């Protein structure tokens, strides 16, 4: 089977440097294995998703030298998620709930006070069909949860190695909102199956999603993909890099004159090494890249190193390309 990967940004803001690194790893890994990459736009958040952000993300990816074979968007696939939800309901792995956020908060507080873990108590599973009809007549719409099986879930991550977690300590995740919008936990699994995704490369902060999503794959008798979780990028102080930090989006780098080849080279080398080589062309990046070379620990963002690499590329750039980069820089400032 041909290797297929995907990069799945949400168009709710400009492209974050951490997400750009994830996109780069997906792109390089697909290319060095003669595979394909899908760009999946996760735009089910109707209030925050904007067309201008989607176009900006695509433009930034191309600016870095990242391209893809196919594009899809979640907002066009709502029927697919509803069909999967109905199937999960039929096999007893999805159920309707009506608690408000305030009610759930009170439940969690009561559990903590009594020394119990704040895990959803599944009281909604005791509702009768008459109860559901009564809620419907009152105008209350349900949100849906996926019923987890209390067992150990494990997989072999290409970076992390063996990963294991006992699901007993997790609440059944919400997979569909009251307004019919699917949650990432369900939608992403359906997308990955429909698009024949063989490898999922994403940030280390998705590990808990993986444990839950693996049970959705298994409950539907779908083939599990290979998982790869990349360590996150931290600030120089050792904190997780967020959109509130300076130099967190690609626009921030463009505005201070960082050229795409320099930033791409820096992101490639962030937590990854190949012998003692420091400077890579895009072709060399594809030829030498291997997922096993990525370290397990978070990498700290080093602006001094980025500026040094940028200086190297500028010094070795031909005049016509340098002029082009200068004109692009002037347009932003």
């Amino acid at each position: 089977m041909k290797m297929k990967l995907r990069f799945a940004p949400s168009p709710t803001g400009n492209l974050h440097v951490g997400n750009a690194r994830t996109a780069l790893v997906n792109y390089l890994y697909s290319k060095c294995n003669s595979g394909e990459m899908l760009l999946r736009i996760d735009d089910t958040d109707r209030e925050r998703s904007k067309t201008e952000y989607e176009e900006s993300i695509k433009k930034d990816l191309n600016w870095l030298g990242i391209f893809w074979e196919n594009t899809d968007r979640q907002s066009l696939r709502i029927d697919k998620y509803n069909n999967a939800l109905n199937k999960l309901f039929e096999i007893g792995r999805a159920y309707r709930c009506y608690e408000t956020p305030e009610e759930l908060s009170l439940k969690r507080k009561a559990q903590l006070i009594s020394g119990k873990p704040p895990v959803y108590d599944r009281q909604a599973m005791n509702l009768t069909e008459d109860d559901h009809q009564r809620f419907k007549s009152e105008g209350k719409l349900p949100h849906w949860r996926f019923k987890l099986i209390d067992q150990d879930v494990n997989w072999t991550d290409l970076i992390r190695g063996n990963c294991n977690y006992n699901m007993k300590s997790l609440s059944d995740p919400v997979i569909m909102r009251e307004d019919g919008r699917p949650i990432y936990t369900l939608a992403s699994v359906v997308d990955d199956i429909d698009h024949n995704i063989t490898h999922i490369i994403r940030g280390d902060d998705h590990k808990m999603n993986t444990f839950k999503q693996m049970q959705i794959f298994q409950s539907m008798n779908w083939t599990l993909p290979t998982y790869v979780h990349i360590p996150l990028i931290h600030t120089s102080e050792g904190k997780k890099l967020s959109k509130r930090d300076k130099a967190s989006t690609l626009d921030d780098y463009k505005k201070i004159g960082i050229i795409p080849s320099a930033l791409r080279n820096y992101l490639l080398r962030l937590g990854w090494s190949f012998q003692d080589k420091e400077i890579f062309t895009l072709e060399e990046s594809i030829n030498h890249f291997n997922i096993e070379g990525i370290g397990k620990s978070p990498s700290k963002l080093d602006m001094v190193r980025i500026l040094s690499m940028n200086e190297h590329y500028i010094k070795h750039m031909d005049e016509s390309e340098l002029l082009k980069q200068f004109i692009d820089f002037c347009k932003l400032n």
Side-chain angles (χ1 to χ4, degrees), residues 289-306:
F289 184 75
N290 60 84
I291 209 77
E292 295 79 9
I294 298 178
K296 297 180 181 180
S297 301
S299 299
K300 290 185 179 181
L301 193 68
D302 186 348
M303 185 55 70
V304 173
R305 181 63 184 141
I306 295 174

Side-chain angles (χ1 to χ4, degrees), residues 120-150:
Y120 181 65
D121 58 15
R122 292 179 173 172
Q123 283 189 4
M125 293 186 69
N126 298 322
L127 296 173
T128 65
E129 192 55 39
D130 287 341
D131 293 325
H132 291 297
Q133 290 302 318
R134 176 169 53 83
F135 283 129
K136 184 177 181 180
S137 66
E138 295 172 355
K140 292 183 179 179
L141 298 174
H143 59 270
W144 293 76
R145 289 182 183 266
F146 174 70
K147 182 181 178 183
L148 297 171
I149 302 299
D150 295 345

Side-chain angles (χ1 to χ4, degrees), residues 44-142:
T44 57
D45 187 335
R46 302 186 190 103
E47 289 75 25
R48 298 174 61 215
S49 295
K50 297 182 183 297
T51 302
E52 53 264 39
Y53 286 139
E54 178 183 337
E55 294 307 313
S56 173
I57 289 169
K58 290 177 178 178
K59 185 177 179 181
D60 282 346
L61 290 172
N62 291 163
W63 180 78
L64 272 181
I66 298 172
F67 297 87
W68 48 94
E69 282 72 28
N70 297 289
T71 306
D72 204 352
R73 62 182 63 253
Q74 289 188 328
S75 59
L76 300 178
R77 296 173 47 77
I78 301 301
D79 287 346
K80 298 281 188 179
Y81 311 135
N82 287 329
N83 291 339
L85 179 65
N86 290 334
K87 177 63 177 178
L88 289 170
F89 178 60
E90 290 172 6
I91 63 176
R93 296 297 296 274
Y95 60 98
R96 293 163 285 181
C97 306
Y98 299 88
E99 295 96 342
T100 65
E102 293 75 21
E103 289 171 336
L104 290 172
S105 178
L106 288 173
K107 280 188 177 186
R108 286 192 290 268
K109 289 179 181 177
Q111 289 171 318
L112 288 170
I113 291 172
S114 62
K116 298 178 181 178
V119 177
Y120 181 65
D121 58 15
R122 292 179 173 172
Q123 283 189 4
M125 293 186 69
N126 298 322
L127 296 173
T128 65
E129 192 55 39
D130 287 341
D131 293 325
H132 291 297
Q133 290 302 318
R134 176 169 53 83
F135 283 129
K136 184 177 181 180
S137 66
E138 295 172 355
K140 292 183 179 179
L141 298 174

Side-chain angles (χ1 to χ4, degrees), residues 214-232:
M214 283 182 67
Q215 285 209 350
I216 297 179
F217 275 106
Q218 292 164 341
S219 68
M220 301 285 273
N221 292 317
W222 289 338
T223 302
L224 285 166
T226 298
Y227 286 102
V228 186
H229 291 80
I230 307 170
L232 301 179

